[in-house]
Structure formats: structure tokens, C-alpha cells
Amino acid sequence: MAYKNSGTACCDTESGRLIALHGLILVLAMTFACAATAEMWRGLTIAPEFRCSPYDRKRDYGYPQSIEQEIVKSLGAIYGPYTGTCFSSTYETDIEHMVSASEAHDSGLCAADRATRARFATDLRNLTLASPTVNRRNKSGKDAAEWLPERNRCWFAARIVEVRRAYSLTIDQREARALERVLSRCGSTDMEPMVCHRTTGSHQRPSTTPAQDENDDVLVRYDDNRNGRITCKEARRHGIAPVHHEHPAYRYMRDGDGDGVVCE
């Protein structure tokens, strides 16, 4: 009787293994079938965004501030292609990821190793300059279905496709349609010839509005050396550090990692 029970247990174990194996084969077959029938657009797999692992901007997508000079060199000037603006100093600009880190994470990099994520964060093909207003407020993690630049749309759209291909990122249907509308009308995807619309220097005050007066008041309160920027040293001196993006001083500060907090 003991022998029979043992045999039954063995058979049950083998049956369980066979069932598990059949299940695995079925899952793999379905996966390959889905991959084979996946809708493609310009070499990219169309799929909804999916966050398969936690997103940590500071840990996985950080970059050295020194890369800013490499961006300037690649552009040929301290230039914001999104608006066609030439800036007098990099203090007036942010480093901007065309495919944002959060967008890339949810499009496939959530399954990548840290080395790949770090390479993405510092890839010059995906880096440009933009004013803090454009980077932090207007674009701020949005994809091309939600935001497109005023200028250089063909260049921007082509770069989005190039970067997504380089990292085997997926793209959702809405963004693919938005980019196709742009690219289908492009005679060239080169950056437009640089004709700068220069910004007004912080020492010049052409005309004021209530909003401008409020901004000027922020600089009067916290910008001790009157250079149009607020440093962490000045922020700490005035007791406002760390400075979060809701604070009026934030727009005059450099947020190197783009996490919405400076002088942590």
C-alpha cells in the first residue's frame, strides 16, 4: 500500500510538471504570436505605455552638468531649437530630453539594466536646450501627442523616432499618429538654419506687467548679486532652501536633475 501511494505521488508530480510545461509552451507561443502580429510604425512597435518597474529619475537617469557644454557644442550655440531662441548664457536654459526619461521608462527602459538607462540619459541625440518655462511647464514629460515645439518640428519628430529605435522603445498609437502628421509633411528633417530671436537680458526692463512686477520682486528678495539668477547659497541665506518647483524663486534656479527640487 505504501508502494502504491508513493507511485501515485510520483505520477501526480510528473503530471504537474507536464501541465506546467504545457502552460509555459502555451505562454511562449502566445508571446511569439503577439510579437509576430504586433503593429509597426516606422520600425517601432506600437504598444501602450507600461511601467514594469519603479521609476527613479535620480538613481537611473541622472547626468553630469558638464554634458551641457557638449550640447552647446552640438547645437553650435546656446540655442533653444524649440523656440528658435539664442540665449546669452546657459544660466537661462535647462538641459532637455526630447524623449523624456519617464516616457522612455514606460516604453521599455523599465526592463533595461542601469547601464542602458544611464546611456539613454546622456545620449546627445536626445539632448537639447530649452528655457525653464518650456522644459518644466510646457513640455515636462509629455510625448509628441501632447506637446510639439513651435519651431523645428520635423527635426524634433525625426529625433524622437531615431532615439526610440536606438533603444528599442515602443510607441503608443496616439504619439505615432501625431508624429506621422508631422513627418508626412516634411521636406527635410534637418534643424532649421539658426536665426536667433534673442531673449532680453535680465538687466534690461522693456515694459512691465503685474506678472513681471511679481517676478522682479522675487529677484529683489533673493538675487543678492543682481545677476538674474538665484543660487543655492542665496536661497540658504534667505532660509528658503530646499526650493520646490511651486516656489516663485524656483524659475530662477538651476535644477540639474530636473526633479522639481533644488538645493536639497
Side-chain angles (χ1 to χ4, degrees):
M1 183 65 66
Y3 180 81
K4 284 186 177 181
N5 287 340
S6 175
T8 301
C10 179
C11 288
D12 288 344
T13 301
E14 289 300 323
S15 297
R17 287 175 180 168
L18 286 172
I19 291 171
L21 180 59
H22 289 158
L24 177 60
I25 291 172
L26 180 60
V27 169
L28 289 173
M30 291 176 64
T31 301
F32 286 124
C34 289
T37 59
E39 186 178 356
M40 304 293 291
W41 174 79
R42 293 181 181 257
L44 298 172
T45 300
I46 294 180
E49 294 174 14
F50 175 65
R51 184 161 293 186
C52 59
S53 66
Y55 172 66
D56 190 324
R57 171 70 182 264
K58 282 188 174 181
R59 183 191 66 190
D60 295 332
Y61 298 98
Y63 51 84
Q65 194 62 39
S66 59
I67 202 168
E68 188 171 50
Q69 291 307 314
E70 295 181 51
I71 299 171
V72 172
K73 192 180 297 184
S74 69
L75 291 170
I78 306 173
Y79 177 64
Y82 295 164
T83 55
T85 302
C86 278
F87 300 92
S88 58
S89 167
T90 53
Y91 284 106
E92 299 174 2
T93 64
D94 281 350
I95 294 171
E96 211 286 301
H97 285 81
M98 286 178 265
V99 178
S100 71
S102 60
E103 176 74 17
H105 190 82
D106 295 347
S107 301
L109 286 190
C110 60
D113 56 32
R114 287 191 181 178
T116 302
R117 295 176 188 177
R119 189 166 68 252
F120 169 85
T122 56
D123 192 330
L124 287 174
R125 291 173 294 183
N126 192 43
L127 293 173
T128 190
L129 298 178
S131 71
T133 298
V134 171
N135 180 47
R136 303 174 196 177
R137 296 184 184 179
N138 299 346
K139 185 171 183 289
S140 188
K142 296 174 183 174
D143 66 23
E146 302 164 312
W147 182 90
L148 287 168
E150 297 172 19
R151 304 283 299 274
N152 284 298
R153 286 192 176 185
C154 290
W155 167 81
F156 175 79
R159 281 294 182 90
I160 295 293
V161 175
E162 180 183 359
V163 170
R164 284 187 178 275
R165 283 177 182 165
Y167 292 89
S168 301
L169 302 181
T170 59
I171 188 168
D172 65 45
Q173 187 69 255
R174 288 181 65 243
E175 185 174 15
R177 287 173 180 165
L179 290 172
E180 183 61 35
R181 283 194 293 270
V182 174
L183 291 169
S184 63
R185 297 179 173 90
C186 294
S188 170
T189 57
D190 293 337
M191 189 183 293
E192 298 171 10
M194 196 181 301
V195 179
C196 294
H197 306 287
R198 291 195 173 273
T199 56
T200 302
S202 59
H203 60 284
Q204 298 174 349
R205 307 205 174 172
S207 61
T208 62
T209 64
Q212 183 64 50
D213 289 340
E214 180 183 346
N215 293 341
D216 290 346
D217 185 51
V218 172
L219 292 174
V220 168
R221 279 186 285 166
Y222 306 121
D223 179 19
D224 296 333
N225 63 4
R226 299 294 183 263
N227 68 345
R229 302 293 296 179
I230 299 170
T231 65
C232 284
K233 184 176 180 180
E234 289 168 335
R236 293 188 181 101
R237 184 182 301 136
H238 291 280
I240 61 172
V243 181
H244 294 259
H245 68 90
E246 300 92 349
H247 195 285
Y250 176 83
R251 72 184 64 179
Y252 299 103
M253 305 184 75
R254 178 171 294 281
D255 186 359
D257 56 16
D259 67 346
V261 184
V262 290
C263 312
E264 297 96 323

